[in-house]
Amino acid sequence: MSGSLDWQRDGRTWPHREASRFIESAGLRWHVQVMGPDEEDAPVLLLLHGTGASCHSWRGLMPLLAENYRVIAPDLPGHAFTQAMRGSQMSLPGMADAVRALIETLEIEPAAMIGHSAGAAIALTAALDRFTDTPIIGLNPALAPFPWPAAQVFPAMARVLALNPLVPKLFSGISRLAGDTEGFIQRSTNSRIDREGARCYATLLGNSDHARSALAMMANWDLDPLERALPGIANPVLLIHARGDNAIPLDGVEDAVRALPDATLEVLPGLGHLMHEERPEEIAGLIRGFLDRQGHSN
C-alpha cells in the first residue's frame, strides 16, 4: 500500500478507536489515544512506542493503566496515522523535541514517561533539561549504541535504503506477499502476540510511507550522545528487560543501569521484545509498583 495510511479506511478497526483524536502540534498532525479519568488533577502517563510500531502496541496495557491514570499514547512522527517530519528530523533529538512540543500542546506534566525500545531513548532524551524529576520506565530499552563497526554500517545502510524511493515499497510489498505477519513477528522479536496485534503490524508493514519513516528513523539514529548523558540523568528510572529479547542485548541494558544515578532493573524470563503485548497484566503490575514507590499512586 503506497501513500499515507488513511484513518477512515485503515483505522476503521484500529484498537481503541474510540479513544483516538487528532492534534496539531509543531506543524504536525498527530494521532493520539487518550484513556482514563478526565479530572484535571489525574496523574498522566505518556507512552512512547518503538521504531516501526504505533500506539496499537499499547492496546493491552493502556486500559490497565487507565484504571488509575490518564494515559496518553501518540503515534510517533511518520508512524501509522501521525504526519511525517523531514528525514533529517527523524533523529533522537528531533523526535524528543517533537514529543516535548506535543506535551506543551496538550498542556500536561507527565507523572511518568514510559517508552518501549527506541521509545525509552526518546523519553530519556526528552527528560533532559526539562522533565528532570519525571520517573522514566523503559521496556526492553534500546539505549546502547551498536558496537563499531556495526554503528557505522547499519545507519549508513538505512540512509541509503531510505533515500531510494523504491525500497520502502519493496519492503512493504514483501511483507504483504509473505502473508505471515505472526510468524515474522515471532521470528524477529521472539514474542507471540495476539491476532489483533498481528493484523495491525501487517497494516503498518504493508505501508510504504510507514516503512520509509521507520527507515529514516534508523538512518538518523545516534545513541552515543545519550550514552554519554546517562550519568547526568537523575530521574528515577525503571528498566524492564525480557531475557528472551533477541533484539536488545541484556548487557547493554545492564550498562545503562550502572550509568544512571537512580535506576533499577527487572529481568523477566520467558518473554520477547514485545513483552508488554504478550503479558500486559504483568508489565502493568511492575509499572504500578514502581510509581507507587515514587509517590505517584492514584
Side-chain angles (χ1 to χ4, degrees), residues 48-51 58 113-124 136-145 221 223 226 230 237-243 245 247-257 260 263-268 272-276:
L48 303 173
H49 65 76
T51 309
W58 306 111
M113 290 191 283
I114 303 170
H116 171 246
S117 194
I122 295 172
L124 286 166
I136 307 291
I137 300 167
L139 310 178
N140 285 328
L143 304 179
W221 215 242
L223 286 168
L226 176 59
L230 290 180
V237 176
L238 171 65
L239 300 182
I240 307 173
H241 186 77
R243 195 172 292 279
D245 185 356
I248 306 296
L250 176 58
D251 56 0
V253 181
E254 291 172 331
D255 288 343
V257 170
L260 288 160
T264 56
L265 172 64
E266 290 274 357
V267 180
L268 305 180
H273 188 60
L274 303 178
M275 61 182 178
H276 60 300

Side-chain angles (χ1 to χ4, degrees), residues 33 101 106 116-117 133 157 178 201 205 242:
Q33 291 194 330
L106 293 170
H116 171 246
S117 194
D133 298 323
M157 288 176 59
Y201 279 113
L205 292 171

Side-chain angles (χ1 to χ4, degrees), residues 21-25 28-32 34 102 105-106:
R21 59 191 66 178
F22 287 86
I23 295 169
E24 299 287 337
S25 175
L28 297 178
R29 186 172 186 260
W30 294 72
H31 171 235
V32 177
V34 182
L102 178 64
T105 299
L106 293 170

Side-chain angles (χ1 to χ4, degrees), residues 172-193:
S172 61
I174 291 173
S175 70
R176 288 198 307 273
L177 292 172
D180 181 24
T181 306
E182 288 184 63
F184 172 77
I185 293 293
Q186 183 178 345
R187 291 189 297 272
S188 58
T189 68
N190 203 27
S191 288
R192 292 179 177 271
I193 63 172

Side-chain angles (χ1 to χ4, degrees), residues 89-214:
Q89 293 177 298
M90 299 288 284
S91 62
L92 179 51
M95 297 291 268
D97 285 344
V99 168
R100 287 193 195 100
L102 178 64
I103 290 171
E104 291 176 4
T105 299
L106 293 170
E107 298 181 334
I108 60 173
E109 286 289 332
M113 290 191 283
I114 303 170
H116 171 246
S117 194
I122 295 172
L124 286 166
T125 303
L128 289 169
D129 304 320
R130 174 64 175 86
F131 303 101
T132 54
D133 298 323
T134 303
I136 307 291
I137 300 167
L139 310 178
N140 285 328
L143 304 179
F146 284 117
W148 195 92
Q152 310 299 318
V153 174
F154 290 146
M157 288 176 59
R159 275 190 286 274
V160 170
L161 295 175
L163 289 171
N164 185 336
L166 295 178
V167 169
K169 294 180 181 179
L170 176 62
F171 278 5
S172 61
I174 291 173
S175 70
R176 288 198 307 273
L177 292 172
D180 181 24
T181 306
E182 288 184 63
F184 172 77
I185 293 293
Q186 183 178 345
R187 291 189 297 272
S188 58
T189 68
N190 203 27
S191 288
R192 292 179 177 271
I193 63 172
D194 59 24
R195 187 165 297 175
E196 183 178 40
R199 174 181 58 79
C200 292
Y201 279 113
T203 298
L204 298 177
L205 292 171
N207 181 264
S208 59
D209 276 10
H210 179 89
R212 181 179 293 107
S213 291

Side-chain angles (χ1 to χ4, degrees), residues 48-82:
L48 303 173
H49 65 76
T51 309
S54 81
C55 67
H56 87 276
S57 66
W58 306 111
R59 65 194 175 281
L61 188 58
M62 276 189 80
L64 299 174
L65 296 177
E67 295 172 4
N68 305 98
Y69 299 91
R70 187 164 177 79
V71 185
I72 299 177
D75 289 340
L76 291 174
H79 288 66
F81 301 99
T82 290

